[in-house]
Amino acid sequence: MADPIVSVSRRLADAFSAVAGMPVDPVVRPSDRADAQANGALAIAKAMGAQPREVAQKALDAAGDLSDILQSTEIAGPGFINLVFSDEFIAQQLTLAMADATLGVRVSPDPHTVVIDYSAPNVAKEMHVGHLRSTVIGDALVRVLEFVGNTVVRENHIGDWGTPFGMLIEHLIDLGEENAAHELGVGDLDGFYKQARSKFEASDEFKTRARTRVVMLQSGDDDTMRLWHTLVKESTRYFNKVYTQLDVLLTDDDLMGESAYNPLLSVVVDRLRDGGLLVESDGAEVVFPEGFTNRENEPLPLIIRKGDGGYNYATSDLGCVIDRVERVGARTVLYVVGAPQAQHLQMVEAVARMAGWMPEGYVMNHVSFGSVLGSDRKILKSRAGETVKLAALLDEAVVRAEAAVAEKNPEMSEADRSDVANMIGIGAVKYSDLSTDRVKDYIFDWERMLSFEGNTAPYLQYAHARICSIFRRAEVSRASVRAITPSLAESQERALALRILRFDSAVWEMIDTLSPHKLCTYLFDLATDFTAFYEHCPVLKAGHEDTRESRLALCDATARVMEQGLSLLGIRSPEQM
Ligand code: ARG
């Protein structure tokens, strides 16, 4: 069971390889002229010194009888092979896919443990839109990698350690623990941080206290640890509020902050020293990974231990690699972190590889992303020019969605409306983030993301809700049409069926490129094909009972793939809108 394009590609791969005398890719792609096109002959012909059209013919001869899948094959142009699937094959594959727990998506041939490092806000600092991106993209990757059979371990690498905690703890003492806890718990993290910072800058006495406090923290002084713990607890309480609002999978069990790696810091140093990788440079202990230079073209060090004996962000990230590979058992580690940390992560990987902590065949991948911009194309800021608070942004999304729903469906009860608005508002924010290529910046635009037209969450959710309403009106249960093999007489029916079967490839493209927008584009195409089908092929008013049932089966299959696809992106599908 697989996307028909994958099925035919497998058959042709054998044929082309037999002709070429070595394994070759038949290069089968969807096509406008037929259902698909195999372009492999062109590349092999060159290598074989033969005519591409001849090679194509030989490959077809070698493939033998393909009539169980294809209705026709035709060699065209310089040597493409146009492929048209048989209607029976499409219909039969659709029935199989719909009986499958993954709706026809291939499970992983190599399931393994994957750690995904995402979200990772910093204690006593506001979560900003960069954390929105990491959280939403990471959440989608977790869901999709689990869906195909991997064991996914979520790790929220919060910033909960380092020198700022000296001043933060002293500020907490000044405020009184209860007041401080309240301020943090209600989410005034930035205010808290800024006050601490300005005291630190203004007062030498405070500075000294803060520095002494860092030393106490590092030596594990009981009272200091307790105060530190309050900071972490109150901040994570606030993060959890945002996670609930955002409807993502993260929980307290996924917290693996920087501090969790403290016991490994000396291990990192010892192992690097034993391996002969640690060198002294300007009083610090560093590693020089190959291939990294500064502007002056001098080798760039990764600082492991500073002159004052303190460890670095990089040191805890190295401990983190050891932990993920050796304790968690990960073979793939994904870092969903903004583009500015690219070099840091590259250097950490380089050192981990030199040290043998990331063995060959193990993957460490930076899932990088661009910035969220305002309409002025600058980093998104609030009207007052401050960083946008995530919680406020999400509240606004729901309020705006509620207004949109009230307009579209004034009859809906208030309770339903509030549920639906929540799914649409949060869905819209997530989808606008996920649907653009993650490496690019995108413009945060309320109007566009909440529009019921175009490549938006509401448009996709609406396609799903519309199908639910067709079944409500017909008073037919969705499950009752599931065993029906549809007839594909109309071109829109056939196109829709073929699109549904391509869900498999769409999911795998998202996985192979770690790019959620691939799945978004697919779901948008699915909704578009459904709209065309629904306009041309009456469902409830279909003349014949068989036609009606067949079309209802197509509707149900569309809705199931839409709901599953959106759910892999972390977006809910209301049954009415
Ligand atoms: N807390 C960091 C930040 O807000 C991100 C941490 C990313 N993960 C990691 N293993 N370094 O920038």
Side-chain angles (χ1 to χ4, degrees), residues 117 120-122 131 157 159 313 317 324 335 337 341 344:
D117 176 324
N122 298 315
H131 296 116
H157 194 93
Y313 183 47
D317 260 330
R324 288 170 180 177
Y335 293 79
V337 182
Q341 294 192 39
H344 162 76

Side-chain angles (χ1 to χ4, degrees), residues 326-397:
E326 297 178 14
R327 181 184 63 85
V328 181
R331 215 171 70 210
T332 300
V333 183
L334 305 181
Y335 293 79
V336 190
V337 182
Q341 294 192 39
Q343 192 184 52
H344 162 76
L345 290 169
Q346 281 159 16
M347 291 180 82
V348 167
E349 174 174 8
V351 171
R353 298 241 180 237
M354 285 163 83
W357 303 335
M358 255 290 151
E360 211 172 307
Y362 283 53
V363 176
M364 173 164 164
N365 214 327
H366 179 196
V367 183
S368 172
F369 51 81
S371 311
V372 185
L373 308 179
S375 52
D376 56 0
R377 300 195 152 262
K378 298 203 180 107
I379 301 288
L380 187 69
K381 290 266 150 68
S382 72
R383 255 187 235 122
E386 304 192 317
T387 44
V388 176
K389 281 189 174 221
L390 263 192
L393 184 107
L394 298 175
D395 283 341
E396 181 168 354

Side-chain angles (χ1 to χ4, degrees), residues 114-156:
V114 181
V115 164
I116 308 190
D117 176 324
Y118 68 111
S119 191
N122 298 315
V123 164
K125 271 200 194 166
E126 199 57 64
M127 279 178 92
H128 54 72
V129 283
H131 296 116
L132 168 76
R133 298 218 66 186
S134 175
T135 308
V136 168
I137 296 169
D139 187 64
L141 293 177
V142 168
R143 294 172 193 260
V144 80
L145 287 166
E146 261 172 9
F147 185 64
V148 297
N150 296 290
T151 303
V152 179
V153 178
R154 308 184 287 258
E155 290 197 354
N156 192 357

